[in-house]
Amino acid sequence: MRSATIGTLRRRTLGILAAGALLLYALRHPIELRVLRHRAAPRPDASSEPVQVADDKGPFEHHAGGRRYRLTPRFRWDESARVVGDRAYHFGAAADLLPEDLALAWGPILQAPYSGKISYSQFSRFYFWHTRDGSLDRGTIVSHSANTHIIPATARLRTAIRCISRGDDIRLEGWLVDVEGVSDPSFRWTTSTTREDEGPNSCETVYLTRLTINRRVYE
């Protein structure tokens, strides 16, 4: 009986430890965002339209993964949206430069009749949307959702974007940029500059200088 009791206690202890480890793993991103240096801010208004403004900022160098890149700003960028998908990348030159893709939705598709009727997925730097409701306007969905490639300007921003979760309301501030490799001249990466395109080359590439996640701002 004593041996059986000890075995039961061990199993219970292991179960408690495993549950605690799973809970900590599930909460790791909220905890990390709380302790990462930030300031308070109003929650981003995901019902608004992105703001794209001509800017005279010239090309500049950016270093990532031990490689040099030349970034050419196309427009200053300020977007508030809801995260409907996020995908991290860990391997290769593109992953060092663009460690996270965010599938974003904003404006009318967050409201009826669109809300809850569109599903989103991501694969290999693309995002896909699907709906069974044929009455929904395709053009509205295309122009109010996007896959966005993120180039974080700082180590803090790189950490913060890894902690973004589906359902977060976020604000991205920075520039839409085209990228050329300096260390590797064959590397090219471009940005979309319109919301109406779809398919290859329709994603926004954002050099991110300030990030708001719900009610916290990171730079």
Side-chain angles (χ1 to χ4, degrees):
M1 292 294 293
R2 182 180 179 185
S3 176
T5 301
I6 292 173
T8 300
L9 288 173
R10 284 177 176 172
R11 287 193 295 272
R12 286 179 179 174
T13 300
L14 288 173
I16 292 170
L17 290 174
L22 286 173
L23 180 62
L24 285 174
Y25 181 79
L27 295 176
R28 72 193 188 283
H29 286 161
I31 292 172
E32 195 166 8
L33 285 175
R34 182 177 291 273
V35 301
L36 192 65
R37 194 171 76 188
H38 65 275
R39 58 181 173 82
R43 192 178 187 94
D45 179 11
S47 67
S48 61
E49 296 289 332
V51 178
Q52 177 178 304
V53 180
D55 190 88
D56 60 0
K57 183 176 177 64
F60 60 95
E61 279 203 6
H62 178 75
H63 295 242
R67 298 180 179 87
R68 297 163 56 208
Y69 300 90
R70 180 178 295 105
L71 275 55
T72 301
R74 301 287 304 280
F75 294 94
R76 184 175 285 277
W77 184 248
D78 187 343
E79 176 184 20
S80 295
R82 184 159 301 155
V83 178
V84 294
D86 65 286
R87 185 176 179 89
Y89 294 88
H90 301 280
F91 305 104
D96 289 330
L97 179 67
L98 305 114
E100 195 87 11
D101 281 2
L102 301 174
L104 303 176
W106 63 91
I109 66 172
L110 300 180
Q111 309 295 328
Y114 298 89
S115 179
K117 296 183 179 180
I118 308 170
S119 61
Y120 304 88
S121 61
Q122 291 167 283
F123 177 74
S124 187
R125 297 290 182 177
F126 292 92
Y127 95 114
F128 305 89
W129 62 267
H130 174 74
T131 182
R132 294 182 177 180
D133 189 339
S135 70
L136 299 182
D137 181 65
R138 175 187 178 87
T140 300
I141 300 173
V142 169
S143 62
H144 291 85
S145 64
N147 191 49
T148 304
H149 310 304
I150 305 295
I151 303 174
T154 67
R156 186 178 299 112
L157 286 170
R158 179 177 285 266
T159 300
I161 63 169
R162 292 292 199 195
C163 298
I164 289 173
S165 300
R166 186 185 294 253
D168 285 339
D169 286 336
I170 66 169
R171 182 180 179 186
L172 306 176
E173 297 176 77
W175 283 270
L176 296 179
V177 296
D178 291 334
V179 183
E180 299 174 284
V182 176
S183 301
D184 177 8
S186 67
F187 186 91
R188 294 285 188 279
W189 203 282
T190 60
T191 184
S192 168
T193 58
T194 177
R195 310 295 79 77
E196 285 73 33
D197 53 357
E198 55 183 315
N201 302 314
S202 65
C203 301
E204 280 72 37
T205 300
V206 177
Y207 179 73
L208 183 66
T209 58
R210 183 181 294 122
L211 169 66
T212 304
I213 305 175
N214 299 319
R215 298 185 183 277
R216 299 188 181 105
V217 179
Y218 303 88
E219 295 185 83

